[in-house]
Amino acid sequence: MSQPHPSHPVQPAHRTLQHAGLGMVLAASLSLTLGCASMEQAPATLPAELRIVPPEVAAQQACKEHVQQPAPPSYPAKARAEARSGWALVGFALDGRGTAQQPVIVNSSGGAEFERAALEALAQTRFKAGVSAPACRLVFDWVSVRRVR
């Protein structure tokens, strides 16, 4: 598993985030802005205090404007059972036919199961045909939120 860059603090991915008013939400999303998939419907955009991807990692995304049909990542069963959060920054090339090629984990937090889920989701994500790009990056993230009373 890739390790986060030491120059930025990363919220421990094993911690369940607590936020009043959201209920129990296990959300998996593609690049924070492309939607959510979850067992329970999650807010389309999480409040800023619940985002676990460091801003400097999110800023490394490239080619998300070419996403035509996002494939939200599945929440890994073990991580879901343990209410763990995590993220993965995946690098890849666009082949001009709408698919990602040569995927590689650039950085991640939370465990290898999040990396595998990100690679699986990327393989199912469809991009605009006719676009070739050698250096694309997308962030996939999973956030566990438990309501406190």
Side-chain angles (χ1 to χ4, degrees):
M1 178 178 70
S2 303
Q3 294 298 317
H5 192 277
S7 67
H8 59 73
V10 175
Q11 222 170 359
H14 65 275
R15 192 176 107 208
T16 299
L17 300 175
Q18 296 186 354
H19 187 268
L22 286 180
M24 179 59 180
V25 176
L26 295 172
S29 68
L30 166 62
S31 67
L32 297 175
T33 58
L34 295 176
C36 289
S38 66
M39 283 73 62
E40 298 179 40
Q41 193 56 38
T45 304
L46 289 171
E49 67 271 15
L50 298 181
R51 295 185 188 150
I52 63 167
V53 178
E56 56 272 20
V57 171
Q60 294 179 37
Q61 294 185 97
C63 300
K64 71 180 181 178
E65 68 276 10
H66 302 306
V67 173
Q68 187 171 35
Q69 183 179 356
S74 61
Y75 214 115
K78 183 177 179 188
R80 181 179 60 229
E82 296 170 354
R84 285 189 292 124
S85 300
W87 55 266
L89 176 64
V90 183
F92 58 97
L94 287 179
D95 65 3
R97 296 174 305 196
T99 57
Q101 300 293 318
Q102 305 165 345
V104 61
I105 299 296
V106 176
N107 200 347
S108 69
S109 176
E113 59 265 57
F114 291 121
E115 293 178 355
R116 285 189 296 275
L119 293 172
E120 290 170 9
L122 180 66
Q124 296 173 13
T125 297
R126 294 296 162 245
F127 298 86
K128 295 175 187 168
V131 177
S132 295
C136 295
R137 292 181 173 192
L138 290 178
V139 172
F140 295 85
D141 64 318
W142 300 261
V143 179
S144 173
V145 180
R146 183 166 284 135
R147 180 176 46 189
V148 293
R149 297 180 193 250

